Amino acid sequence: MTFDSLPDSVRLVVEAAQNKKASGITVLDLREVGGFTSYFVICTGFSTPQVQAICTEVEEQLWKEFERVPEHREGTRSSEWALLDFGSFIVHVFNEQARRFYDLERLWRSAPKLDIPDEPGGPARASGSRPPGEAVSK
């Protein structure tokens, strides 16, 4: 899986999250392992306002480009975990502690995974991160 192989709407979600300095953006391809959605886009925000800003940017960009709105929203007022369900993909925006606790990447470890590098100037990634511009498909 590469960034360019993702559907346009999923690529737009990644770009919208990057616009708001989300960290640790990961895309899981669930088409072969789950029946309820095709992709998870997972990212981290470092404060309640940032989590909310990431969600708002994702929604605004998807409406502007594709006239898509979430079928379901959860936790967007919470600083821990916000979920935007667009049907064919679900966006999860976590704070650092909730992301470690829920560890969706571990729960869905059999799914192909694409780690998106943090944008230059964005929050630093955890140890073992890749340099900016180097996406890794697993």
Side-chain angles (χ1 to χ4, degrees), residues 71-82:
E71 296 174 13
H72 182 74
R73 292 180 188 92
E74 281 191 32
T76 53
R77 302 239 183 257
S78 165
S79 64
E80 293 183 4
W81 181 4

Side-chain angles (χ1 to χ4, degrees), residues 2 16 24 31 44 47 49 72 75 78 87 91 101 104 111 114 118-119 137:
T2 65
R31 292 176 295 176
T44 302
S47 66
H72 182 74
S78 165
V91 181
F101 179 80
L104 294 182
L114 179 65
D118 290 343
E119 287 292 294
S137 178

Side-chain angles (χ1 to χ4, degrees), residues 18 30 42 63 68 72 79 98-99 107 114 130 134 136:
Q18 287 175 325
L30 304 175
I42 305 165
W63 175 253
R68 289 192 69 173
H72 182 74
S79 64
R99 182 150 182 192
L107 291 174
L114 179 65
R130 303 228 173 337
E134 183 181 322
V136 175

Side-chain angles (χ1 to χ4, degrees), residues 15-23 44 50 53-58 60 123:
E15 292 167 357
Q18 287 175 325
N19 287 345
K20 295 301 177 184
K21 306 296 186 214
S23 184
T44 302
Q50 185 185 19
I54 293 165
C55 292
T56 299
E57 182 74 4
V58 165
E60 287 177 357

